[in-house]
Amino acid sequence: MEHFEIEGPGHRFYTAFRELYAASFPLFEQRTEEQQLRAFAGNRYRLVGYGTDGAFVGFLSYWEFEDYRYIEHFAISPARRGQGYGGGILRDFVRSSSKIVLLEIDPVVDAVSGARLRFYRGCGFYENPYPHRHPPYREGYGAHPLVVLTTQRELTGGEYAAFCRDLAGVVMADGRPAGVVPAPETE
C-alpha cells in the first residue's frame, strides 16, 4: 500500500479525503474548509493518505508534538473496512516513531462504539482515566465527551494536562471557528 502526504486542495486525492471525512465524522467533529486550510498552514499538522492500485483507501491526520503524536482523525473507506487496512495503517504509524501516540474515541455506549474500542485495544492502545471533553470545531455546538487512548501506557496527570493545553492552544487554534476564544488558563 502506498502512503502520501496531502498538503492541500491541489492533491489528487483531496476530494476523496473530504468525501470520506464528511461521511465518517459528525459535523461537530469536522473542520470547515477554512479551518482545514489553516491547519495545513501550521508546521505541526500532517494529513497522510493511503491508497492501493490507484484507489484511495483512507487517511490519518495528526499533530506532531515534542513528546507525543496526536491523531486527530482516522478513517478507512467503507468499501475497504474489515480487510485489515485500518489495523495495518495504525500499527505502521505507531511503529514509525518512539513517541506515545494519542487519540480520542467516543465513549462506549453500544455495539459499534464497543467494537471501536476493541479495535484500538488490539492495536496496542490503553484507555486513560481522565474525564475528557473535546472543544467544538464549529459555532453552535458544545464540547463533547471522548475517551483518550494512548500507546505504550496511560498518561500521567501532567501529560494529560499538557495534551489539553496543546489541544486548546495549538490544534483548535489552527481550526477555531470565528469568535471562539479559549478560556484563560488558571493557576
Side-chain angles (χ1 to χ4, degrees), residues 65-130:
F65 292 98
E66 186 175 333
D67 297 321
Y68 68 95
R69 288 173 151 186
Y70 166 54
I71 297 176
E72 184 177 24
H73 294 99
F74 174 53
I76 301 298
S77 169
R80 303 290 181 148
R81 291 181 190 154
Q83 299 175 30
Y85 288 106
I89 289 168
L90 200 54
R91 287 182 190 95
D92 286 347
F93 181 78
V94 168
R95 283 192 297 260
S96 71
S97 174
S98 61
K99 295 178 183 180
I100 287 176
V101 175
L102 184 152
L103 56 81
E104 303 147 305
I105 63 168
D106 290 324
V108 175
V109 295
D110 58 18
V112 172
S113 54
R116 185 174 297 119
L117 177 58
R118 284 190 301 279
F119 166 78
Y120 284 110
R121 283 179 178 160
C123 291
F125 283 81
Y126 297 87
E127 296 164 81
N128 284 262
Y130 309 104

Side-chain angles (χ1 to χ4, degrees), residues 165-187:
R165 283 191 303 274
D166 290 340
L167 180 62
V170 177
V171 174
M172 298 307 290
D174 282 346
R176 184 169 319 288
V180 177
V181 178
E185 289 187 40
T186 57
E187 296 190 54

Side-chain angles (χ1 to χ4, degrees), residues 1-4 6 11-17 19-20 48-59 75-80 83 85 89:
M1 177 174 350
E2 67 174 312
H3 66 280
F4 38 84
I6 299 173
H11 192 278
R12 67 186 176 116
F13 282 122
Y14 186 76
T15 300
F17 151 70
E19 289 171 357
L20 180 56
V48 181
Y50 298 87
T52 185
D53 299 325
F56 187 70
V57 171
F59 71 90
I76 301 298
S77 169
R80 303 290 181 148
Q83 299 175 30
Y85 288 106
I89 289 168

